[in-house]
Amino acid sequence: NAGVIQTPRHKVTGKGQEATLWCEPISGHSAVFWYRQTIVQGLEFLTYFRNQAPIDDSGMPKERFSAQMPNQSHSTLKIQSTQPQDSAVYLCASSLYRGSSGNTLYFGEGSRLIVV
Amino acid sequence: QQQVRQSPQSLTVWEGETAILNCSYENSAFDYFPWYQQFPGEGPALLIAIRSVSDKKEDGRFTIFFNKREKKLSLHITDSQPGDSATYFCAASANTGYQNFYFGKGTSLTVIP
């Protein structure tokens, strides 16, 4: 089992450019989560898919962030017109979904985005 | 609104001491509380978890103590080792079928040899 795979591991982008981050969840996992991690805010929830359908995007900054899950093997997080405050580690996690609490999140190693 | 709070933000202990990490929560519907451990450059990984029907969960040197009435829990790491130096996140989820997790901001633990 390869674990959750995130690419790229590091990305440096200029202010105003677009950044796309990819996540490949563990095969068979039906729930996919995106989090943003910074020193100040810790782990911030961004969005959550279940069986490829968006369930909750309440953590997503509305104007420039979007996420998709076109198939069960990958999800993307796109940030348009990147700003320095978007600099963070973006973590993807997947889990089985059993309709109850107690599921384990399996995190990828993260994509470190630096906006200069 | 921060649904899960952790303290202290950082903690330093000597090797062999017991490290105590604290966590509190707001939502009475939370019934599952995992702790995740994160090393630099890696994603968080599940360390130990407890359900609200229990008041204690032990796994080797790691023990969770849970107080449902006060909505507080703590992670005790006995005989701390330098390899335990990491950031520890307390999380919570509710048995609503929704299955989202709420994380605290983490405690950075340093164990000095």
Side-chain angles (χ1 to χ4, degrees), chain A residues 37 48 56 95 97 101 105, chain B residues 31 36 38 51 97-99:
Chain A
Q37 184 174 21
Y48 159 38
D56 182 354
S95 76
Y97 175 74
S101 62
L105 287 178
Chain B
D31 68 343
Y36 283 79
Q38 184 180 32
R51 289 196 175 275
Y98 172 68
Q99 200 214 309

Side-chain angles (χ1 to χ4, degrees), chain B residues 50-68:
Chain B
I50 192 168
R51 289 196 175 275
S52 59
V53 294
S54 301
D55 56 14
K56 181 180 176 181
K57 178 71 177 292
E58 208 167 344
D59 184 357
R61 297 184 294 106
F62 301 90
T63 302
I64 300 174
F65 293 92
F66 180 69
N67 185 322
K68 188 172 183 177

